[in-house]
Every structure is written in structure tokens, then in C-alpha cells.
Amino acid sequence: MPVVDVDPDELRRLTGHEEKDDEELKSDLFALGLEFEGETEDGEFQLEFAPDRLDRLSVEGVARSLRYQYGDDRGVYIPTTNSAEWVIEVDESVPEERPYVTGAIVRGLDMTEEKLESLIQLQEKLHATMGRKRAKGAIGVHDLAMLKGRAGAGEGDKPKSITYRGVDPDGDRFVPLDADTDMTPREVLTDHDTGATYAPLVEDLERFPAIYDDVGLFSFPPVINGKRTEVDEGTRDVFVEMTGTDQWTIDRMLNIVCYALDARAGRVELVDVEYPDRTLERPDLSTDTKTVAHSRIESVLGIPLDSEAVVDLLERSGLDATVETDEEAGTVTYEAGIPPYRVDVLHPLDVVDDVGRAYGFNDLEPRYPDVSTVGGRHERSRVEDAARDALVGLGFEDLLNFHMISEAENFDRLSVAPGDGYGAEEPVTITEPYSEDYTMLRTWALPSLLMVLENNTHRAYPQDLAEIGLAAHRDDAENTGVAEHRTVAAVLARSEASYEDAKSRLVALARAFGTAVETPATEHPSFIPGRVADVVVDGETVGVIGEVHPEVVVEHDVEVPVAAFELRLDALR
């Protein structure tokens, strides 16, 4: 989860509640879903929060949420914008791998150390989350006073323009940040620390993305800005540009930055983005709407509310609300206006969640549901608990890992590809994941256990680990297109780990359920040839067992051999 450092004194100033002590602030922040994780050496709060609320990646965003919670602000706020005086011209030479750009001008900031530190943190956190470590979106902030726009020549042209274009890797030179000599873009990738870090994003392109003013190249996205336009204390006006692989993503990242700077008394100025086939006016501060029924709000939250109360709670969530009553049908619905910086409101239930949080989840009184059934343990749950007890009795440490993983961890680092064998089925991927570390549902649990071993190389061996958890894969025969199952996985990491060690424990586990298993030889890229077998129950292959291939062991920095097995939980019934 993202962790943001917030100065409590700065937070009090921005909220206008100087009377709040630290404990009161922590309580108010917890009500927003921000958990206090500790303090930095400078006394700043370290706050952990769910990665969906990216507008809270800065002290300005946190303060905005608190002001709504306190009732000081209500409804959707849209910053006043000045007309465009600058234009970004998108040249046809821009690399097709990174074709999109957006931008804005913000004037009158009077940059201080506190403002600059907050802006830098927001930039870094957006890069790490929504920008996918700059692969999907990258931010550049420049001192506008150091830019020289090309004056428009024809009627209707904007008075000042800059150009987003492609550049030869060994072409124009510029002085990058934290450097004293000019370099070509290719030299930046090889001779500059930041360039080396982000080189994989552009090094294979025929032409590199670059942004020019009338003086020359001043930004090399997504790698580094030029030193000429560096922002420092005393900067008054800034030019914010963002490039990426998706227009929607960089536009929303821009909105978050503009709102943060607006909270610092900055004046947002529009910028025209001229593509060869269209012109966009940015930032895009248009609002979205979601429709939610009054009955849905009451049923989800479990409390009675009148329309005035719901509107009040929506406005205290930073949303607009319009009540629509159908007297004939006897229904009430709300049109909720969503502000431009909210990227997390995708469904009416997200609006209900905002209503509940504004009401106060801690204020909801628990009550027994009005149903006639009697609760009891599900059969699958009983089997799972019995299997977990058996594994613990065999000496395994029980684990609980995330069900989401990345393609690299699930496939590449185990030397398999979809279709290569057990655990390598077609994955269920996330269309717009918030993090590149969690892009799909895992198809098997062995990768998760190897990641735990990788993170525990400082611990003593042997390490015998097991997990019972969810796995899933694509299956068109299912009405959802996804087949889910509970899986049992175990690893033995020790100096003499062998196939026989794993099989003896597998047989003991199966015997506890009265299940007979067979282990005919097979081939699997994750395991050593000749030391791997299928797990077969009643003639059906339900798992795999073997000694993990040395390449996979070395890939995970594990220092001892590893034997492992995995099978479906329902095979033990």
C-alpha cells in the first residue's frame, strides 16, 4: 500500500484547524481510511492508504478530504481557469509507443521548500502508482520563466507554443538535471544515474520522445527533465507536462497535480494540445455522474436515511447531488457529480461507500440480519481447515498470500508460459491495474510461496511453507468466463530437499482424507526433468510434485534446493 509523509503542522494550516492536536488528527485521518504507520525523523506522519484514492497522495489532497469531512467544504469544486496562452504541438515524429501528451500552466505559486517537497512527493507517488513507474505516464514540472515559446505566425495561432516530437538518440544535446555537461539522449541512458534507471522504457525505440521550446530540447520523457527549466524555491509559474501510453491516464494524473497546486493558491491556466487530427483543451476538468438508488444506499448501509441526509452526506464527500423522485413508481434516485480528480469512482457502489464513510462506519450499529436460516460451516471450509491442520501437523508453516500477482512472478520467473503444464493456464488479467505488481489473478500458489522464500533468505533453514488459497484461470465454459478453485501448495527449502521428501508429505496429507494418489512421471518447465510427476486422483490430474528447477531457485535467490507440490483442494474430499 502507498505510504505518504504528511507534516501535521502543514495539514493543520491547510485545513484551517490549528486547534487539532496530533491524536485528534490521527483519529480524523483513520475515519477517512488513512492509517497511521509511524513518524519520520522530522515528525511527519506516515500514512498508509488504499491505492484507489490517488488524490490523497499529497498533503494538499489529504487536507481537502479532511475539510469535506469537517463540513468546511461541500460539493464538487472546480478551479477557475485562465484562457490558453500556450499550445503543445504534437509532431508526427513522436514515437508510436508513447504518443500522448497533456499539460497545464499554473501561475502565482511562490514556491517554498514545503510546497516543493510536497510537489516532488506527489510526482514520485503518481509515478509509482498510476504511472506504473513512468511506463504508462510520466510527469515533468518546469519553471515557465525559463521557457521560450515559439510565437504563432498565422491568424488564430496561439502566441506561444512548444513541440512534442521524436528525436534521434544521438541527436540534439541538452544538460539534464543533476548534471553539468550536455548530453545526447543516448548518453543520458548510459552515463546518468536516472537515465540508467529508466533506460528500459525507451532504449529500444528508433526515436526517443522529447519536448522542445524555441531554445531547444528541455525535456526527455519519461526519463529526465533538462536543468535549464529546473523548479526551485522562488519559482512563481510552472509548466506541467505529462506524456504516456494512454490519454485518459495522463489527463487524470494532471488533474490531481493541478488540484494540489490550486490548493497552494496557484492559478490554473489552460493549454491547447494540438494533435495532427484534433485539438484538446487541457486540463480536462469536466465532471462525471453516477446514478444510485436511495433504496440501494439504505440496503447496503443498513440504516434508514431521508433524502436531505443523503444529499448532505454526498456533498460532504466532495460530490454534487441531484435528487430525482418518481412518485408513480415510488422511487428516489440521486445523480452524483464526480470531481475531476477522483479516478476511483467507477460504479454506483463507490458512491454508496462515500456516503457510508461520510456518515461514519464506526457509527453504524451492528445488528443481526432478519433471516430465518441458521449459520454453519460450509463443507469446503471444513475440508480447508482439516487440510490446514494436517499440513501444520506435518511440520509446515501456514501462510496467507495475496491472490493477485504479476505475469512475471506467475509465469516468467518460474520458466513457464500459458499452456506449459499444471498451473500455467490462461490467466485472468486486470484491464487497468493500479500497480504493475498486481496485474492478474494467480493461476497457482507455488509462485507466491517462492516469493516468500525469496524474502526470507535471511532466515535459517529448513523452511517448510504451505498455503491453501485461491487460484483462477480463464474458462469459456463458465458463465463468468473464469474458473476459480482452492489450491493446496507446499514447499520444502532445505539442504537435502528431494522429490521423496515432498511425496512422503503429499501421501500423508492424502491419507488423512482417505484419498489415494498416484504420481506418474511428467515434464514441467518449473521442475527438474526426471524429478517431477503429476498428482493423479481417481484418474484425473489434479496437481504436480517435484524438485524445483535450479534456474527457478537461483532466480528467487534461494540458497538451498527446494521440493514442492501443489494440488486442488477438492481432490482431497
Side-chain angles (χ1 to χ4, degrees), residues 146-180:
M146 301 307 297
L147 290 177
K148 183 179 180 181
R150 187 179 72 255
E155 183 179 352
D157 287 347
K158 300 303 180 196
K160 300 175 183 177
S161 67
I162 61 176
T163 305
Y164 180 45
R165 50 169 288 194
V167 62
D168 187 288
D170 299 308
D172 294 334
R173 308 178 73 88
F174 74 112
V175 181
L177 288 173
D178 301 321
D180 296 319

Side-chain angles (χ1 to χ4, degrees), residues 126-155:
L126 282 173
H127 279 157
T129 52
M130 203 170 183
R132 312 272 179 77
K133 298 181 180 178
R134 306 192 189 185
K136 193 172 185 179
I139 306 167
V141 183
H142 309 271
D143 188 337
L144 184 65
M146 301 307 297
L147 290 177
K148 183 179 180 181
R150 187 179 72 255
E155 183 179 352

Side-chain angles (χ1 to χ4, degrees), residues 464-475:
D464 298 345
L465 311 177
E467 179 185 2
I468 301 176
L470 177 75
H473 62 273
R474 293 287 301 276
D475 186 349

Side-chain angles (χ1 to χ4, degrees), residues 8 23 69 125 131 164 178 210 254 257 284 316 329 378 386 408 421 427 460 499 514 543:
E23 293 306 314
Q69 183 182 16
K125 297 298 183 180
Y164 180 45
D178 301 321
L254 178 65
V257 173
D284 178 10
R316 285 179 50 214
H378 192 279
Y499 171 85

Side-chain angles (χ1 to χ4, degrees), residues 236-312:
R236 284 187 51 81
D237 306 329
V238 298
F239 167 61
V240 184
E241 47 84 4
M242 301 188 188
T243 63
T245 60
D246 177 70
Q247 187 74 52
W248 186 92
T249 297
I250 59 175
D251 283 341
R252 295 311 176 274
M253 291 170 67
L254 178 65
N255 288 346
I256 292 171
V257 173
C258 285
Y259 267 85
L261 296 178
D262 175 80
R264 298 290 191 171
R267 300 188 307 278
V268 179
E269 181 179 298
L270 299 175
V271 169
D272 285 342
V273 181
E274 292 186 353
Y275 288 98
D277 59 344
R278 67 192 189 282
T279 297
L280 306 177
E281 191 176 67
R282 292 297 183 263
D284 178 10
L285 300 180
S286 59
T287 59
D288 192 10
T289 59
K290 297 294 178 186
T291 302
V292 59
H294 184 90
S295 58
R296 188 73 179 277
I297 295 174
E298 290 189 330
S299 65
V300 172
L301 298 181
I303 55 174
L305 295 167
D306 58 38
S307 296
E308 291 184 1
V310 172
V311 170
D312 175 69

Side-chain angles (χ1 to χ4, degrees), residues 510-511 513-518 536-538 571:
R511 186 179 296 124
F513 289 85
T515 302
V517 298
E518 300 176 28
V536 177
V537 175
D538 295 334

